[in-house]
């Protein structure tokens, strides 16, 4: 029997390009820079001048396994509104840039997060169509110095600039801090699920239309 030596061929590998983005947004009211890596380990640097917002950005990074760096300077001498909204806008733009045309992603994400008595459900879809359904009932107007009306404004800004569909629903809850933190944790886990690469879809866009 003749034996023919053949050079070994290394197994084929599929290397995903880095899914990272950096966005800088400057207005007459704020100067915001957001950088992120969707395939990170959850590291976070956040300095927005709004301590509670920084705390929530850490929740997104930690539970979404996104490496996140958000630096913002805003007109906090007026109030937190402009900075809070513009951080959401810039983060949304960075997310949109990082997922690109959304090829290969799972697209949908869903998570229910408990935090003591609070139970919050988040469902999202990288649909290309911005829509926010928000039904949090937060008892107190402030958590520390943070105006709880700004929670909705933050998520609306993210939704509009990521072009995702996002539903945030409160199943239970009585403590304002618990409700809001559970919402951010649930959002982070749903986001992680949605942007993960589906190995069965490879590089195809997750839509029967072929575009999102």
């Amino acid at each position: 029997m003749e034996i023919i030596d053949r050079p070994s061929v290394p197994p084929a590998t599929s290397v995903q390009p880095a899914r990272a983005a950096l966005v800088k947004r400057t207005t007459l009211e704020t100067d915001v820079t957001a950088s992120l890596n969707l395939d990170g380990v959850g590291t976070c640097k956040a300095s927005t001048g709004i301590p509670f917002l920084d705390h929530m950005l850490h929740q997104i990074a930690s539970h979404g396994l996104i490496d996140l760096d958000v630096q913002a300077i805003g007109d906090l001498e007026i109030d937190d509104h402009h900075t809070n909204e513009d951080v959401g806008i810039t983060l949304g733009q960075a997310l949109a840039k990082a997922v690109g045309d959304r090829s290969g992603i799972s697209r949908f994400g869903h998570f229910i997060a408990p935090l003591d008595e609070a139970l919050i459900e988040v469902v999202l879809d990288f649909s290309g169509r911005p829509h926010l359904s928000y039904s949090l009932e937060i008892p107190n107007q402030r958590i520390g110095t943070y105006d709880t009306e700004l929670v909705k404004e933050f998520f609306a800004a993210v939704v509009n600039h990521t072009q995702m569909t996002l539903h945030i629903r409160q199943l239970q809850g009585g403590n304002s801090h618990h409700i809001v933190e559970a919402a951010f944790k649930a959002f982070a886990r749903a986001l992680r699920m949605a942007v993960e690469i589906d190995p069965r879809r490879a590089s195809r866009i997750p839509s029967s239309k072929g575009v999102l």
Side-chain angles (χ1 to χ4, degrees):
M1 181 176 67
E2 183 181 10
I3 298 176
I4 301 174
D5 291 330
R6 291 185 174 87
S8 61
V9 178
T13 59
S14 176
V15 179
Q16 291 290 338
R19 300 191 301 158
L22 184 149
V23 174
K24 182 174 176 61
R25 185 176 187 273
T26 302
T27 73
L28 295 177
E29 298 167 340
T30 65
D31 186 353
V32 183
T33 302
S35 65
L36 59 83
N37 177 5
L38 295 178
D39 302 307
V41 295
T43 62
C44 183
K45 296 178 182 177
S47 179
T48 66
I50 307 173
F52 186 76
L53 180 59
D54 291 348
H55 181 45
M56 294 302 101
L57 292 171
H58 276 271
Q59 304 309 309
I60 292 175
S62 176
H63 295 283
L65 289 182
I66 295 170
D67 290 343
L68 183 61
D69 188 340
V70 178
Q71 305 296 316
I73 299 172
D75 54 359
L76 300 178
E77 70 281 3
I78 297 175
D79 66 11
D80 294 348
H81 187 106
H82 296 146
T83 303
N84 177 87
E85 183 176 31
D86 288 1
V87 166
I89 289 171
T90 310
L91 178 60
Q93 291 174 343
L95 282 169
K97 186 175 180 181
V99 296
D101 67 0
R102 313 185 184 205
S103 296
I105 67 170
S106 295
R107 175 177 166 178
F108 299 97
H110 172 236
F111 199 81
I112 301 175
L115 182 51
D116 295 348
E117 89 298 339
L119 189 63
I120 309 298
E121 179 181 40
V122 170
V123 183
L124 63 82
D125 174 12
F126 273 82
S127 60
R129 299 182 303 278
H131 174 82
L132 174 64
S133 178
Y134 176 96
S135 62
L136 295 187
E137 296 179 3
I138 306 170
N140 297 330
Q141 185 175 353
R142 293 194 178 275
I143 302 173
T145 61
Y146 186 76
D147 186 344
T148 54
E149 287 185 345
L150 298 181
V151 176
K152 183 177 181 180
E153 299 303 320
F154 174 84
F155 282 115
V158 172
V159 162
N160 288 333
H161 291 270
T162 310
Q163 294 194 316
M164 70 164 63
T165 295
L166 176 63
H167 291 258
I168 303 175
R169 190 160 65 107
Q170 181 174 328
L171 305 178
Q172 292 191 82
N175 179 283
S176 298
H177 192 130
H178 293 169
I179 292 166
V180 176
E181 186 166 330
F184 274 84
K185 287 178 175 177
F187 172 75
R189 289 300 298 262
L191 178 65
R192 174 181 166 186
M193 183 185 300
V195 300
E196 283 183 342
I197 297 298
D198 182 347
R200 295 178 62 194
R201 198 178 293 279
S203 60
R204 290 179 290 126
I205 292 174
S207 171
S208 58
K209 298 188 297 291
V211 65
L212 286 171

